[in-house]
Amino acid sequence: MKMRTFWAAAAAAVGSCVVSIAILGVPGAESGGGTLKVYNWGEYIDEDVITQFEDETGISVVYDVFETNEEMYPVVEAGGVKYDVVCPSDYMIQRMIDNNMLAELDYDNIPNAKQIGDDYWNMSKDFDPKNQYAVPYCWGTVGILYNKQMLEQLGVPKPTSWANLWDPKLSDEILMQNSIRDAFMIALKQKGYSLNTSNPEELAEARDMLIQQKPLVQAYVIDQVRDKMINGEAAEGVIYSGEMLYIQEQIEELGLDYDLEYVVPEEGTTLWIDCWVVPKNAKHKENAEKWINFLCRPDIAKKNFEYITYSTPNKGAFDLLDADLQNNKALFPDIDDLKNAEVLQYLGDEVDDLYNEAWKEVKAE
């Protein structure tokens, strides 16, 4: 979801092992400001920001990365490595709260949290009802990236509905997300169901739709969808909105003679949000809160946005951006205009098992 090609290769090479990078700052940092163990998505921060944090605080950062929420969760739960601050997504934060894995934050130590816009605090209440445990970091939507010229050649209209991904003219031209909840969201929304449904009959309908669609799908991918679309290898791909700035920059830099455009289908979509949290077994909670406060500083949040290109919830950073970025609706859509958008929720282990089994059937067909 947030991983560029290097980290995808690294994660594949080490399997389930944690990719660890010790980023040591100024000499004597360990004895001065202590340490901080960070667990984040790959390529989800500007490394210069880490160095700047170390220089300003004297805290030495040990930085590990994960590829999926599902990979991160058992590592934090097991506690073999006691991370001080972690960056999960919405539904996984809810699961961690439900299982008493997170420490309540002391906002006196995070004054820059006031820079986070009210809309994003309200979004977070879907999984952290009192905003006690999680500070928003990045957010976005899931939509369809399409090659305008290829669709014209195939005689396929511009996608306005998720149903477009079932058009037989798009055989071998579709890239789907290799993600259970994202894939099921597409089928569920098309049927008018909630993406957080726990109804077995609705899940069965969605499963059957995805099985029906499978012969049209070129590949189930995660981060590769971006580069495949840039290279003209498919006509449509399901993608996270945060990739759009990078894609637009690449289209311009490479001088490509086709247009890649992004749309959120009319039936609604996932409104996702990633946040910083502190595990209950963290050894350096105050350092973790210093980290969160630092990342909420507008100049730092802006610097991070320019590197990772995922939308920032930081209103101070947003105000520092050029007008063309502020008005880029792929990156910063008006939340009130996103009809039927929902934040993913943790549905419990039993319902998770239903989704997992249904997904196995889709992939096995």
Side-chain angles (χ1 to χ4, degrees):
M1 178 174 169
K2 288 87 186 174
M3 225 172 47
R4 301 272 168 84
T5 306
F6 171 81
W7 288 114
V14 299
S16 61
C17 296
V18 170
V19 179
S20 179
I21 314 163
I23 304 177
L24 302 178
V26 294
E30 172 67 27
S31 59
T35 60
L36 181 73
K37 291 184 177 178
V38 180
Y39 202 21
N40 193 12
W41 303 84
E43 283 291 293
Y44 211 31
I45 196 169
D46 186 335
E47 288 188 13
D48 288 343
V49 165
I50 302 174
T51 302
Q52 187 173 343
F53 173 78
E54 291 181 314
D55 290 344
E56 290 189 21
T57 64
I59 295 169
S60 175
V61 174
V62 177
Y63 191 88
D64 292 345
V65 301
F66 56 86
E67 183 176 0
T68 67
N69 284 291
E70 288 70 25
E71 175 189 330
M72 173 279 303
Y73 181 87
V75 174
V76 175
E77 182 183 40
V81 179
K82 291 179 173 57
Y83 289 104
D84 299 308
V85 65
V86 184
C87 187
S89 303
D90 32 56
Y91 71 99
M92 195 57 73
I93 294 170
Q94 183 180 354
R95 183 180 181 186
M96 297 171 87
I97 293 171
D98 288 353
N99 288 305
N100 198 30
M101 291 170 59
L102 299 182
E104 187 172 339
L105 298 172
D106 183 351
Y107 281 98
D108 288 340
N109 295 331
I110 316 174
N112 288 332
K114 65 185 179 183
Q115 296 291 340
I116 304 299
D118 290 342
D119 285 341
Y120 311 105
W121 288 118
N122 289 332
M123 283 170 60
S124 298
K125 287 180 179 178
D126 282 353
F127 53 89
D128 180 12
K130 296 182 180 179
N131 294 132
Q132 294 172 290
Y133 300 99
V135 176
Y137 180 57
C138 292
W139 71 283
T141 58
V142 178
I144 299 174
L145 180 68
Y146 63 95
N147 185 310
K148 185 177 178 181
Q149 284 74 18
M150 289 180 72
L151 291 189
E152 290 174 354
Q153 292 171 6
L154 293 167
V156 176
K158 169 185 172 181
T160 58
S161 166
W162 291 115
N164 184 271
L165 294 170
W166 274 256
D167 190 326
K169 293 179 182 178
L170 287 171
S171 179
D172 202 40
E173 293 289 350
I174 296 170
L175 300 172
M176 285 285 286
Q177 281 288 321
N178 192 24
S179 163
I180 299 173
R181 295 295 298 273
D182 289 322
F184 272 89
M185 175 275 290
I186 293 167
L188 290 166
K189 282 295 187 184
Q190 192 182 154
K191 299 292 291 186
Y193 301 143
S194 169
L195 58 82
N196 290 311
T197 187
S198 58
N199 185 318
E201 293 181 359
E202 294 176 355
L203 280 176
E205 283 188 64
R207 175 203 63 204
D208 292 346
M209 289 177 65
L210 291 171
I211 291 172
Q212 180 188 21
Q213 181 210 28
K214 190 174 178 181
L216 306 178
V217 176
Q218 180 189 121
Y220 296 91
V221 292
I222 301 180
D223 301 284
Q224 301 95 320
V225 62
R226 179 194 65 190
D227 295 325
K228 280 180 170 288
M229 291 295 295
I230 290 172
N231 292 334
E233 296 177 32
E236 293 190 8
V238 178
I239 200 166
Y240 299 97
S241 58
E243 299 286 3
M244 285 311 300
L245 182 57
Y246 174 83
I247 288 168
Q248 290 163 351
E249 289 173 347
Q250 286 297 297
I251 291 290
E252 183 175 352
E253 183 177 324
L254 297 172
L256 300 178
D257 59 355
Y258 49 79
D259 300 314
L260 295 179
E261 299 184 6
Y262 177 84
V263 64
V264 174
E266 58 195 8
E267 298 96 341
T269 189
T270 302
L271 192 58
W272 60 265
I273 186 165
D274 295 336
C275 303
W276 289 106
V277 300
V278 177
K280 210 160 195 177
N281 64 356
K283 291 184 176 180
H284 309 101
K285 183 172 184 286
E286 287 191 11
N287 285 352
E289 289 167 343
K290 288 179 182 179
W291 169 267
I292 297 171
N293 188 58
F294 181 78
L295 293 178
C296 287
R297 208 170 78 190
D299 62 314
I300 298 300
K302 175 180 180 286
K303 187 173 184 178
N304 245 344
F305 165 75
E306 290 172 342
Y307 179 80
I308 62 179
T309 74
Y310 276 74
S311 304
T312 176
N314 191 296
K315 59 185 181 181
F318 180 84
D319 289 342
L320 295 174
L321 298 178
D322 293 337
D324 60 334
L325 287 173
Q326 292 178 341
N327 295 324
N328 187 324
K329 294 305 178 184
L331 294 172
F332 297 106
D334 295 322
I335 293 178
D336 292 340
D337 293 340
L338 292 173
K339 297 178 181 178
N340 301 317
E342 299 177 77
V343 176
L344 281 175
Q345 296 179 356
Y346 171 60
L347 304 172
D349 289 344
E350 290 186 8
V351 178
D352 269 2
D353 288 342
L354 288 177
Y355 276 87
N356 290 336
E357 287 302 314
W359 183 239
K360 286 179 184 177
E361 293 182 55
V362 172
K363 298 300 284 290
E365 287 292 328

